[in-house]
Amino acid sequence: MDTLKVGGVPEHFNLPWRLAIEEQLFEASGKSLIWEDQPMGTGQMVKKLESGELDVAVLLTEGITKAILEDGLKAKILQVYVTSPLHWGIHVPFQSDIRTFDDLKDQTFAISRYGSGSHLMTYVKADQEEWDTNTLQFNVIGDVEGGMQSLEKNESQAFLWEKYTTHPYTEKGRCRYIDEVVTPWPCFVIAVREDLCGSEKEFLNEICTIVGKRAFAMKNSENVIELISNRYDLRSGQVANWLIETDWNYDMKSYTEEIENTIHYLVKLGLISKAKVENWESKLFC
């Protein structure tokens, strides 16, 4: 395969991919990568891996883990991509009286898709607050803009999304940030269609190495704050804080224990059945 189609959310986390492609860092292998933004997130990418519309995807650890183990998605995890946790902002309608997460009991949560991070992390936060997760109610909205419209129309009373991505919306008064929930695991992984694990494994490992090195160079660049701020419409102070909180897998380390923690948590929440966890390493990794 001379060209691989890679997908990920159009957010600052994936700038190392965009820079590496723009700088043609993969061309020496004789192959090329095409990047496709996936604004609807992990749920959308799972479907596209399944249909073959994507070869490689950069998606949330919890989402792809559930899709492979519980739902039988024919895909594998290559490696952890972002090693730090994700800070999910909890957003509510701007004019509402909602002030705390407890105010959201028996309310409706906007989610991009079932199986997406916005869906699964609502379970995580509800579990942390000792709610009965069986009572959670959801409204599928597609993407960030759909989430904003759902809040503005009061069709949903809460929406979880990465807090720096949504900051421009809070500044414009389209929603209000009330709290956050932090993933108890590394937040993003690189996954690939299962059939490519054999034929393209060498090139896939090379891709991971290149992206890791580009992420390291980007994070340590003198103009990184200005670069991200301009590309993603974020305030420089927000970018500086985000960079402190964020690290990528610079040298292809294994994070098996952290993935196992993800699985245990998803089983606890009833999102993966215990029977599906047997031999999880061979099922999950390329």
Side-chain angles (χ1 to χ4, degrees), residues 24-165:
Q24 299 184 332
L25 299 183
F26 304 105
E27 303 301 315
S29 65
K31 300 186 180 186
S32 61
L33 268 62
I34 297 175
W35 178 270
E36 296 182 1
D37 280 337
Q38 308 294 317
M40 297 171 81
T42 291
Q44 178 185 34
M45 285 182 272
V46 164
K47 294 294 185 185
K48 289 192 173 184
L49 284 172
E50 186 175 44
S51 67
E53 294 174 77
L54 285 177
D55 302 309
V56 181
V58 184
L59 24 57
L60 293 167
T61 304
E62 61 273 22
I64 189 63
T65 299
K66 177 185 180 298
I68 293 173
L69 295 182
E70 180 66 21
D71 305 328
L73 176 69
K74 299 298 184 183
K76 299 284 188 181
I77 293 175
L78 281 173
Q79 70 167 58
V80 167
Y81 170 57
V82 176
T83 62
S84 47
L86 188 66
H87 293 250
W88 289 83
I90 301 170
H91 309 85
V92 300
F94 189 78
Q95 300 291 352
S96 73
D97 295 329
I98 298 168
R99 293 291 179 267
T100 70
F101 190 75
D102 273 342
D103 294 334
L104 292 169
K105 270 191 175 178
D106 302 319
Q107 301 292 337
T108 299
F109 288 80
I111 60 172
S112 56
R113 283 179 184 238
Y114 286 100
S116 68
S118 51
H119 177 220
L120 300 182
M121 289 307 297
T122 302
Y123 275 92
V124 171
K125 179 62 175 175
D127 176 70
Q128 289 175 352
E129 299 298 322
E130 300 183 341
W131 289 11
D132 178 1
T133 56
N134 292 315
T135 66
L136 291 172
Q137 302 174 70
F138 301 105
N139 178 22
V140 178
I141 47 78
D143 57 11
V144 178
E145 180 56 34
M148 293 302 111
Q149 291 182 20
S150 183
L151 294 179
E152 289 168 339
K153 296 174 183 177
N154 203 35
E155 295 171 346
S156 307
Q157 289 72 52
F159 178 49
L160 275 65
W161 207 264
E162 198 274 329
K163 69 177 184 178
Y164 294 110
T165 301

Side-chain angles (χ1 to χ4, degrees), residues 77-83 190 201-216 248-256 286:
I77 293 175
L78 281 173
Q79 70 167 58
V80 167
Y81 170 57
V82 176
T83 62
I190 302 170
K201 184 66 182 295
E202 185 177 346
F203 180 51
L204 293 170
N205 286 337
E206 185 180 344
I207 287 172
C208 293
T209 300
I210 290 170
V211 172
K213 288 180 178 178
R214 192 61 189 86
F216 182 82
W248 290 262
N249 194 355
Y250 306 118
D251 46 13
M252 295 184 67
K253 285 185 180 178
S254 171
Y255 285 83
T256 306
C286 186

